[in-house]
Structure formats: C-alpha cells, structure tokens
C-alpha cells in the first residue's frame, strides 16, 4: 500500500497550485469532509454532465444555505412581530395599573389580563403576603401564614426568584387557584411578586402544554409581575395609611 505524500513534501518539489491539485487528486473525499469549502469555490461551467458535478454540488450547497438563511430570517421576523405585540399589550397593562382607582380594580384587571397574548380560557391568580388582610373582598389576598403561598415562594427561591414555567403543580394547589378549571391545565407559569415588605406570586395557567415551557424566555413575565405588584402595592400603601389615620 503506497503512502500518500504529505503537503510539506509536495511543496518542496512542486508549485503551490500543483501541490493542491495533487493533494485533491489523491484525496477524492476531501470535499465530502469539508462541504463548507464548496460554497467558496469559483469554477468554470463550460459544459453540462458529470464533468461539472462539483459545480452542481456547489450550487446545491449554496441553495441549501440560502434556504436556511431564508428560514432564519422568517423566524426573526416572526419573533420581532410577536415581541412588538407583547410590548403593546404590556404597555396597555401598565397604563391600566396606573389608571386604576382602587385595589379591587387593579387586582381585577390583573386577574383578567395578566398574560399578554393568553387566550380567554386561561386564568391567573395573585395571592399576596402582607401583615393584614386589605379592605378588599377578593380571594387572591391571603394571610401571612398561608401554606400554599409559602410553598410557591419556596419553589421560586430555589430558582433565585426566576419564574418557574412548564411544571404543573399539585392538584390541590391548582384546584385552590383555578377551581373547576384545574383539571384542564397542562402548563403553568409562576412569577414572584415583590415590592417593599409585600410578597406574593402570580400564577398563569394554560390548557396548551407548550404555552409555558421550561426553556421559554421570561422577560415579559417578569415585567408583568413587576407592573402588577406596583399597581396593587400602591393601593395597599394608601389603605394602610388611611387605617393609621383613622386609628389615630
């Protein structure tokens, strides 16, 4: 079996172009192992047939790359469109929190429109921890020693406060939050709420198992939680100050 000459040996005896040509002749599978080089080749195309199969292969590589680039561009455009829509919905949510005249109004809007782009069948709940139950009949507000709230906050603490998406929580937790709809829930998102001395969580749920995934981005979910907590906390602070004034 003849040993293939090395590139270094060929360069000593032949010109560089001849060395390259000899190496390619002796290594017919070179471009199979390096298909990325085909896109950079400039070959004449004097005739059709097997003699120009390398050109055909080059065209195929370029076509594949063009299709891949087109697909990536379409994905970027779709992501940009989705982000633009999400941005508009988050802005509307922020304005609603600013314009809310009462704690009940802020909490009610949050429960109905907490997740931008979420279908109407999805529900949200936002229990909050505070020193006293506010003057609001809404069931989202719980006492500081609420076991379910403690469990959700513990799960978030294990992720350094980052939203927990994808996992479906215990049946009793879902039933307490979503009632009769709990059995239809296939994915959830738990978002921590923190402002001043207040603590809570916002829980979003969906019938679609892919709606909230462990690998999804959570930037808008975090912003949503911050806006909701800011709107609710503003009214809680006012209520607490009024209680002090009346108590005095």
């Amino acid at each position: 079996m003849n040993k293939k000459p090395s590139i270094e040996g060929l360069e000593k005896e032949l010109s560089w172009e001849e060395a390259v040509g000899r190496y390619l002749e002796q290594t017919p599978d070179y471009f199979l192992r390096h298909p990325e080089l085909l896109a950079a080749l400039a070959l004449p195309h004097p005739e059709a047939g097997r003699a120009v199969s390398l050109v055909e292969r080059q065209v195929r590589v370029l076509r594949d790359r063009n299709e891949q680039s087109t697909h990536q561009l379409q994905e970027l455009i779709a992501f940009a469109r989705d982000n633009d829509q999400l941005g508009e919905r988050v802005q509307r949510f922020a304005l609603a929190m600013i314009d809310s005249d009462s704690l009940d109004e802020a909490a009610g809007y949050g429960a109905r429109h907490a997740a931008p782009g979420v279908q109407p069948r999805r529900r949200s709940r936002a229990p909050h921890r505070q020193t006293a139950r506010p003057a609001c009949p809404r069931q989202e507000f719980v006492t500081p020693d609420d076991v379910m709230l403690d469990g959700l906050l513990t799960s978030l603490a294990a992720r350094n406060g980052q939203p927990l998406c994808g996992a479906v929580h215990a049946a009793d937790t879902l039933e307490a939050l979503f009632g009769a709809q709990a059995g239809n829930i296939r994915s959830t998102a738990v978002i921590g709420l923190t402002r001043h001395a207040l603590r809570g969580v916002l829980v979003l749920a969906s019938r679609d198992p892919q709606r909230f995934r462990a690998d999804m981005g959570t930037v808008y979910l975090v912003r949503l939680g911050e806006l909701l907590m800011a709107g609710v906390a503003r009214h809680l602070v006012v209520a607490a100050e009024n209680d002090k004034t009346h108590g005095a």
Side-chain angles (χ1 to χ4, degrees):
M1 183 175 181
N2 296 330
K3 184 178 179 181
K4 294 181 179 180
S6 64
I7 287 295
E8 290 79 3
L10 288 173
E11 288 181 354
K12 294 179 180 179
E13 302 176 0
L14 307 172
S15 68
W16 175 248
E17 291 185 357
E18 291 174 334
V20 172
R22 181 70 61 84
Y23 177 78
L24 293 177
E25 287 179 358
Q26 297 177 351
T27 315
D29 63 339
Y30 180 80
F31 288 107
L32 294 178
R33 292 183 286 107
H34 301 280
E36 70 279 1
L37 297 179
L38 291 175
L41 292 177
L43 301 175
H45 193 174
E47 58 182 354
R50 301 309 302 170
V52 292
S53 60
L54 190 59
V55 176
E56 295 175 0
R57 179 65 183 275
Q58 182 185 26
V59 171
R60 185 179 303 122
V61 170
L62 292 174
R63 184 185 299 113
D64 292 342
R65 288 189 176 183
N66 181 61
E67 291 178 355
Q68 183 179 7
S69 298
T70 300
H71 180 68
Q72 292 176 343
L73 179 60
Q74 291 174 344
E75 285 187 340
L76 289 175
I77 293 175
F79 289 152
R81 185 181 298 111
D82 291 342
N83 287 336
D84 187 55
Q85 294 176 351
L86 284 173
E88 292 180 359
R89 288 165 178 161
V90 170
Q91 182 182 18
R92 289 199 297 267
F93 188 89
L95 293 176
M97 291 294 101
I98 294 173
D99 293 338
S100 61
D101 296 325
S102 66
L103 178 60
D104 187 58
E105 184 177 339
Y109 189 90
R112 294 190 303 271
H113 305 283
V118 171
Q119 298 298 324
R121 288 179 297 181
R122 300 182 178 94
R123 300 279 302 282
S124 61
R125 288 286 187 267
H128 297 270
R129 175 194 291 265
Q130 64 263 344
T131 56
R133 197 179 187 88
C136 175
R138 302 190 64 86
Q139 62 181 353
E140 291 92 340
F141 294 89
V142 298
T143 58
D145 58 349
D146 185 81
V147 176
M148 180 180 64
L149 179 57
D150 283 338
L152 294 172
L153 290 173
T154 300
S155 298
L156 289 170
R159 292 176 50 83
N160 295 323
Q162 293 300 309
L164 178 61
C165 301
V168 175
H169 294 272
D172 55 344
T173 299
L174 293 179
E175 185 174 354
L177 291 172
F178 300 99
Q181 298 187 39
N184 298 323
I185 293 175
R186 295 295 179 268
S187 64
T188 59
V190 181
I191 308 159
L193 305 177
T194 303
R195 192 171 182 85
H196 306 309
L198 303 176
R199 296 292 184 273
V201 294
L202 169 64
V203 183
L204 307 177
S206 172
R207 297 181 180 182
D208 181 0
Q210 297 299 316
R211 178 61 180 86
F212 299 111
R213 308 182 312 278
D215 61 345
M216 68 180 293
T218 59
V219 173
Y220 282 103
L221 294 179
V222 172
R223 292 177 181 175
L224 189 70
E226 292 174 347
L227 291 172
L228 176 60
M229 195 56 164
V232 170
R234 176 168 62 93
H235 295 292
L236 286 175
V237 170
V238 172
E241 292 177 350
N242 290 338
D243 290 342
K244 289 182 180 180
T245 301
H246 294 156

